[in-house]
Amino acid sequence: MPKILIVGGGYAGFYTAWKLEKWLRNGEAEVTMVDPLPYMTYQPFLPEVAVGSIEPRHAVVAHRRHLKKTNVVTAKVTYIDHANKTATIEPPVGEPWQQEYDIVVVTAGAVSRTFPIPGVADQAIGLKNIEEAIAIRDRVLTNFDKAANLPAGPERDRLLTFVVVGGGFAGIEIFAELRSFASALLKFYPQLTFDDTHFHLIEAMGRIMPEVSLPTSHWVIKNLAQRGAEIHLDTQLSSAVDGVIELSTGEKFETDLIVWTAGVMANPSIVRHTDLPIEERGRLQVRADLRVGTEEDIVKDAWGAGDICAVPDLTGGGVGGFTVPNAQHAVRQGKLLAKNLVADMRGELPRQYFHKNLGAVAGLGLGIGVFQAGKIAVKGFIAWLMHRGYHGLAMPSWERKIRVFWGWINNFFLGRDLVSLAAAQHPRAAFEEFAARPRPAVEAAPAPAPKAVKAPARSRTKTAEPAEVTVK
């Protein structure tokens, strides 16, 4: 029975395993999926998680709950040696081991791409995983709590100044959601006013959201400006040391939250540690049928999909002739990869990946959205409903769909939950502070010096000396 190894459990990896369970016959193949995390994150929901519109656990899909026939391994793959068909797997506890396989599927996704800007590595936070979204939400709420106790001044301004770097879909969505969230928080903090909050989006290009038309992007900028947000176009971040923002325009201000969304790159822990072919931009080289290789040369028994791969875009769109790294492509590529893999095992020809983007939809805060399909643009409340409807239905499994929609219904009647759980990042702090500890051992006191003893006085009566006896 051939052994299939899936490296990565994100969109593409999860859907590949999910569909293989559906299409493989019993005993036709043994499937193993390896990922450092035990769940798949539905990343389009991260902006709503960051503002409390979606419960964090509802935006992820547990591998073991939904992959009933797949051997799920929660560990890292540190090297893929396709020449010998082995992968080095490093678990969080225990010794690494060599996993043998017959077919490898590389779907390890992407990570945030940063530049060597002073302070970014130390001060900024990305928006690629659920933990980052939770941390952003807790930081905003905690900063409001702190600022409410301070008089107007530089420190309060720093706590209530929020910066997002990157004007793509992810950047605009988190920026707009945070602006909406902050405005809704003000009624719970009578010490603060709308003018106390400051929002800055920094974009190096001359426009935002290249996925939509220019007029639509202008509408988004105008809408955000009316809500008190500031967008810096044709502007680069020069420094962020100690939270002091320095822009290429010369502007300077302080912040306590920098969200970085300025691009992604293929997972370096995989593409830098494999003998599989990597193209010039650092992505796995993949054909249109999702087999690893080029049109002339196919790497046998190796497949790839998702953000880690350079998949040709046969529609003529994309960037540089390849599909853009987003959830829409990763999900569809994962489904097709599973079909092609089963077809190849049964001696059939695989199909090429072809998906023409039907439109783009984004949420811009509670009750505001934008949708673009060709020349058709929908803005405002209707677009917001379209955004929630599309992504709610796109969430894998009915179990997850129901949780998400039920959460939205609860929020409609009860409002968003405003509790900050920042202390969860250090869960033992309170216990350690008050925990009883053994007292330090007391050093034994040195033994007292012996007292001088006075010799008894000699008696005046002589005692007879014993006679000396000689024995012969």
Side-chain angles (χ1 to χ4, degrees):
M1 185 163 60
K3 297 178 180 179
I4 301 173
L5 176 65
I6 302 174
V7 180
Y11 293 118
F14 175 82
Y15 272 93
T16 298
W18 206 23
K19 296 305 178 182
L20 282 176
E21 290 190 352
K22 177 181 179 181
W23 294 320
L24 283 172
R25 304 186 188 104
N26 289 334
E28 192 171 7
E30 176 186 325
V31 182
T32 299
M33 188 181 75
V34 183
D35 192 273
L37 298 173
Y39 51 79
M40 183 212 87
T41 302
Y42 191 76
Q43 292 178 359
F45 281 157
L46 293 182
E48 291 201 54
V49 171
V51 298
S53 293
I54 292 179
E55 166 65 28
R57 286 182 176 84
H58 297 171
V60 299
V61 181
H63 290 155
R64 285 179 170 83
R65 175 162 187 166
H66 296 282
L67 299 177
K68 306 291 178 62
K69 303 176 184 177
T70 302
N71 178 28
V72 176
V73 178
T74 304
K76 292 181 180 179
V77 172
T78 57
Y79 195 85
I80 300 174
D81 182 2
H82 193 62
N84 296 306
K85 290 192 173 180
T86 61
T88 304
I89 298 179
E90 185 177 311
V93 178
E95 295 297 320
W97 73 87
Q98 299 295 316
Q99 178 86 18
E100 296 182 352
Y101 63 81
D102 298 298
I103 301 169
V104 68
V105 177
V106 183
T107 56
V111 299
S112 295
R113 180 192 63 186
T114 59
F115 306 103
I117 300 170
V120 167
D122 302 316
Q123 301 292 327
I125 185 171
L127 192 66
K128 288 290 292 177
N129 57 54
I130 199 71
E131 294 81 4
E132 290 172 328
I134 295 170
I136 290 170
R137 177 174 178 264
D138 288 343
R139 177 68 63 87
V140 172
L141 289 167
T142 301
N143 282 10
F144 266 77
D145 290 335
K146 292 177 180 178
N149 297 324
L150 294 173
E155 179 61 16
R156 191 164 82 173
D157 287 341
R158 184 184 71 85
L159 290 170
L160 297 180
T161 298
F162 307 100
V163 176
V164 174
V165 183
F169 251 63
I172 290 297
E173 285 194 304
I174 184 63
F175 185 66
E177 290 283 0
L178 287 176
R179 175 65 273 185
S180 174
F181 186 42
S183 298
L185 285 176
L186 289 172
K187 66 181 178 181
F188 301 101
Y189 295 87
Q191 306 92 332
L192 304 175
T193 66
F194 182 86
D195 293 334
D196 291 326
T197 60
H198 313 283
F199 283 80
H200 298 268
L201 183 132
I202 303 167
E203 170 53 48
M205 296 177 61
R207 62 163 297 176
I208 62 170
M209 303 175 76
E211 298 88 348
V212 303
S213 67
L214 197 58
T216 301
S217 71
H218 289 164
W219 180 87
V220 173
I221 293 174
K222 182 179 178 181
N223 178 270
L224 289 170
Q226 291 171 344
R227 292 155 60 186
E230 187 172 353
I231 296 179
H232 306 264
L233 298 178
D234 291 316
T235 305
Q236 295 181 350
L237 177 64
S238 302
S239 176
V241 176
D242 296 329
V244 179
I245 300 296
E246 296 182 19
L247 304 180
S248 57
T249 57
E251 191 172 352
K252 189 175 179 180
F253 52 87
E254 293 188 39
T255 181
D256 193 53
L257 177 62
I258 305 168
V259 182
W260 182 275
T261 65
V264 297
M265 64 179 181
N267 191 334
S269 62
I270 300 298
V271 295
R272 296 176 186 173
H273 302 94
T274 181
D275 58 351
L276 293 169
I278 306 300
E279 50 98 54
E280 60 272 9
R281 293 191 63 185
R283 297 171 296 181
L284 187 67
Q285 197 163 22
V286 174
R287 295 158 44 92
D289 59 12
L290 304 180
R291 287 183 286 186
V292 175
T294 63
E295 289 300 321
E296 298 78 23
D297 187 18
I298 299 174
V299 179
K300 185 173 175 57
D301 297 327
W303 302 73
D307 296 354
I308 197 172
C309 300
V311 180
D313 192 335
L314 301 183
T315 67
V319 178
F322 299 99
T323 59
V324 296
N326 62 23
Q328 195 173 139
H329 284 301
V331 168
R332 287 169 172 80
Q333 288 169 11
K335 293 178 180 179
L336 179 64
L337 194 156
K339 281 186 179 180
N340 283 352
L341 183 50
V342 172
D344 186 64
M345 290 174 60
R346 296 172 182 171
E348 303 170 7
L349 290 176
R351 292 169 43 205
Q352 292 187 326
Y353 178 72
F354 184 95
H355 172 67
K356 191 168 185 178
N357 190 4
L358 300 178
V361 61
L364 304 176
L366 206 58
I368 305 172
V370 62
F371 168 79
Q372 181 85 47
K375 295 182 179 180
I376 300 173
V378 181
K379 305 153 192 167
F381 183 72
I382 299 298
W384 177 76
L385 290 177
M386 295 169 70
H387 170 265
R388 285 205 161 180
Y390 171 78
H391 285 297
L393 293 174
M395 187 71 175
S397 85
W398 279 105
E399 178 255 340
R400 292 285 107 176
K401 287 179 174 66
I402 292 171
R403 291 183 189 274
V404 169
F405 278 108
W406 185 246
W408 282 335
I409 293 170
N410 285 338
N411 287 349
F412 179 78
F413 292 103
L414 305 176
R416 290 184 285 202
D417 198 323
L418 305 181
V419 176
S420 168
L421 296 178
Q425 298 173 31
H426 306 283
R428 295 188 66 250
F431 179 82
E432 288 179 347
E433 181 180 357
F434 300 105
R437 291 175 170 82
R439 293 183 178 180
V442 179
E443 293 184 8
K451 293 182 179 180
V453 179
K454 189 175 181 180
R458 287 190 178 186
S459 174
R460 292 185 180 181
T461 306
K462 278 191 173 182
T463 305
E465 295 285 337
E468 183 177 349
V469 179
T470 303
V471 181
K472 291 186 178 178

